[in-house]
Amino acid sequence: MDGGYPLIVTEHIDFQTRGNGEMADLTGKVAAIVERTGLSAGVVVVFASGATGAVTTIEYEPGLVEDMKGALERIAPEGGEYAHNQRWGDGNGHSHIRASVIGPSLAVPFAGGKLLLGTWQQIVFLDLDNRPRYRRVVVQIIGEG
């Protein structure tokens, strides 16, 4: 890449999910996209398209994956009363609330072509809907060569 000029690169990560709190580790895929750009420093934004998915960081290990499911159940119980469910009848009001609490995007700096994540920090997507879905995560990189 020609140094000194900022560059914006946009790619997607597409995948199928099972729903119900499934968590997918996207760290390797995001890192590979950053590396392919040849950019040395900048920021990568990871954005979950859709109203029932979320992106965050976590130490991606089985215990914390289960802990996250339990925490989300306490925050927005699946069996709770939701006006959304009454209006649309799809039973995923809790999914929308959970996704809104976590948020759809994450910004991660990179330098030397590498993500500046902590040792035990991975980028994850959470499928919070109550059924399987096709998902698209947008990865947009702003950086310099």
Side-chain angles (χ1 to χ4, degrees):
M1 298 286 153
D2 192 9
Y5 295 97
L7 183 67
I8 299 173
V9 176
T10 305
E11 292 197 26
H12 305 100
I13 300 171
D14 297 317
F15 53 102
Q16 183 68 41
T17 61
R18 295 184 304 268
N20 297 308
E22 178 185 3
M23 188 182 293
D25 183 358
L26 302 181
T27 311
K29 292 179 181 182
V30 173
I33 293 170
V34 169
E35 190 173 318
R36 272 197 312 271
T37 68
L39 296 171
S40 60
V43 175
V44 59
V45 176
V46 182
F47 176 79
S49 297
T52 57
V55 176
T56 190
T57 61
I58 196 168
E59 180 181 346
Y60 185 73
E61 60 87 16
L64 283 173
V65 170
E66 284 304 310
D67 291 342
M68 177 65 85
K69 288 180 183 179
L72 290 172
E73 182 61 25
R74 290 187 297 276
I75 291 168
E78 184 175 359
E81 294 292 323
Y82 299 95
H84 174 82
N85 293 349
Q86 293 171 1
R87 180 176 179 108
W88 298 104
D90 54 5
N92 71 349
H94 69 287
S95 306
H96 290 276
I97 298 301
R98 291 174 180 185
S100 294
V101 168
I102 296 171
S105 65
L106 175 70
V108 180
F110 66 94
K114 304 292 182 198
L115 297 172
L116 298 177
L117 293 167
T119 301
W120 306 112
Q121 189 176 36
Q122 288 81 44
I123 300 168
V124 296
F125 172 85
L126 286 92
D127 181 354
L128 301 165
D129 214 334
N130 59 357
R131 61 188 171 101
R133 289 197 171 273
Y134 168 82
R135 296 296 189 166
R136 170 164 275 185
V137 172
V138 178
V139 178
Q140 189 165 70
I141 302 159
I142 304 165
E144 292 185 332

